[in-house]
Amino acid sequence: MGLQIYCGKGFDTQKAERFFKERRVSYQRVDVLRYGIGKRELESVAAAVGLEALCDRQSKAFRESVIAYTQNRDAILAGLMEKPHLLRLPIVRCGKLATVGVCPDVWTRWLEEGLVK
């Protein structure tokens, strides 16, 4: 199954890419800060990890955004698509499975179970 890393700039993105490069796992790199993320992809990740995990609630930009003060799922998804810098990155997606942030234990399990090739 194909692996995608939705990323921006930062050390966490480098850690995720290094993890898979060291294990010779091919992946598709998607720079969400440059190209954004589609609604279906975002909904799929939200279904896997939860909407709360997608939001970078510690960032000043998020706290100052309108979506920080709403409980409406569609409004939050729309806000994250409009302003992808409010996402917590990297997002690593393998089919319906996904992680947010650096999760080497989960990625190792995916490799051991043959979910990623």
Side-chain angles (χ1 to χ4, degrees), residues 1-4 25-28 93-95 97 115-117:
M1 191 167 292
L3 186 77
Q4 299 168 314
V25 175
S26 63
Y27 60 88
Q28 177 186 8
R93 181 172 170 237
C94 179
L97 303 173
L115 301 173
V116 179
K117 297 179 182 171

Side-chain angles (χ1 to χ4, degrees), residues 84-97:
H85 64 278
L86 301 178
L87 287 165
R88 194 168 147 235
L89 299 172
I91 297 169
V92 178
R93 181 172 170 237
C94 179
K96 293 188 180 204
L97 303 173

Side-chain angles (χ1 to χ4, degrees), residues 1-3 5 17 19-28 107 111 116-117:
M1 191 167 292
L3 186 77
I5 300 178
E17 289 186 301
F19 178 91
F20 292 106
K21 282 180 183 176
E22 287 174 352
R23 288 153 182 85
R24 293 188 172 104
V25 175
S26 63
Y27 60 88
Q28 177 186 8
W107 303 333
L111 292 170
V116 179
K117 297 179 182 171

Side-chain angles (χ1 to χ4, degrees), residues 3 12-13 32 35 44-46 59 62 76 83 92 99 101 103 113:
L3 186 77
D12 287 347
T13 292
V32 294
Y35 300 108
S44 174
V45 173
S59 74
F62 184 85
I76 293 171
K83 298 179 180 178
V92 178
T99 60
C103 304
E113 293 176 2

